[in-house]
Amino acid sequence: EDGSVTAACVASAVLVAVGTWGSVQGGDVPMTSYYGWHPVMMVLGGPCLMTMGRWVYLAGKDPHAEGPASKCRQNVHLVLMVFSCLSVMLGYAAIILCHPNQAFGYNYQKGHWAEWRRVLHALLGHLFVLLVCVQAVFGVLKYVALGRDKVIYTFHNHLGRTILALGMGDTLLAVWFMRWDLELKALLSLLLLVTVGFGVLWRSPVVRDFHYHVAPSVIGPEA
């Protein structure tokens, strides 16, 4: 499944980049425009890198194995999630710079709201960014504690899946109102649903969050 996960994640980011910057319907956005970087960086940070970061927990024949393999898995997860968080922050900054007179779908200069889909997208997007920041802090603290054989923030796994699901839903909402043709929307939606399956819904019957096995006396919830 590792190849399928990587392919779906990378393909989703590439398709958004093509739909944004490519010579397609709804595309041709200049790369110098802040607007174009918003969807690309948000999909790269969410459905792509975030899904791959979670998949690190489930990859391999024995996720519970301790020693070098476990430490390597933790490090890879950390690197992927750091880049995921940075990508999301860049995507958020891009839309703020693109629309300095708007917030949560409301245009302060013109005094009116955007259509309801864009308002909902903005509200869910702000919640997503906020939770990503919170999760990043918990993740760093958890990583440091694991280095000392301590288990903290056992909700980190579940919160991460919730954030990923929220990001996926908000991305699908954005795909809905983008001006892309139906074929591109359908293919991208399919890839996003596949990444949801791997990143959020996939549950191995024998795999538990390997973090909890650093301290053998602590049993955590299933991954």
Side-chain angles (χ1 to χ4, degrees), residues 5-21 36 39-49 52 87 171 180 184 187-188 191-192 195:
V5 174
T6 303
C9 292
V10 173
S12 62
V14 171
L15 270 184
V16 171
V18 171
T20 302
W21 294 319
V40 174
M41 298 309 292
M42 294 302 280
V43 171
L44 177 64
C48 183
L49 293 175
M52 293 172 68
S87 181
T171 302
W180 298 327
L184 180 57
L187 181 56
L188 182 55
L191 286 171
L192 290 172
T195 58

Side-chain angles (χ1 to χ4, degrees), residues 2 13 21 39 42 97 106 127 135 147 163-164 177 196 203 210:
D2 295 354
W21 294 319
M42 294 302 280
L97 292 171
Y106 183 78
L127 177 59
Q135 179 78 332
I163 294 171
L164 185 53
F177 63 67
V196 167
R203 296 174 67 88
F210 74 91

Side-chain angles (χ1 to χ4, degrees), residues 22-41:
S23 297
V24 298
Q25 179 180 320
D28 281 326
V29 177
M31 294 192 71
T32 54
S33 170
Y34 290 124
Y35 175 77
W37 287 97
H38 172 68
V40 174
M41 298 309 292

Side-chain angles (χ1 to χ4, degrees), residues 52-150:
M52 293 172 68
R54 162 139 175 89
W55 188 253
V56 171
Y57 284 169
L58 304 178
K61 296 181 179 179
D62 187 8
H64 296 170
E66 299 183 22
S70 177
K71 186 63 177 178
C72 178
R73 195 171 287 115
Q74 294 173 27
N75 291 337
V76 172
H77 172 77
L78 176 65
V79 170
L80 287 171
M81 289 310 190
V82 165
F83 280 104
S84 170
C85 185
L86 289 175
S87 181
V88 168
M89 293 301 105
L90 288 173
Y92 178 71
I95 202 64
I96 294 298
L97 292 171
C98 181
H99 300 298
N101 298 315
Q102 297 184 35
F104 303 103
Y106 183 78
N107 190 313
Y108 292 98
Q109 189 174 32
K110 297 181 179 180
H112 67 74
W113 291 90
E115 69 161 324
W116 70 269
R117 291 179 298 180
R118 293 181 180 272
V119 173
L120 180 58
H121 175 69
L123 293 173
L124 293 177
H126 277 84
L127 177 59
F128 172 73
V129 171
L130 175 62
L131 290 176
V132 166
C133 294
V134 171
Q135 179 78 332
V137 174
F138 286 138
V140 171
L141 295 176
K142 184 178 180 69
Y143 180 82
V144 172
L146 285 170
R148 302 170 181 171
D149 289 343
K150 294 182 180 179

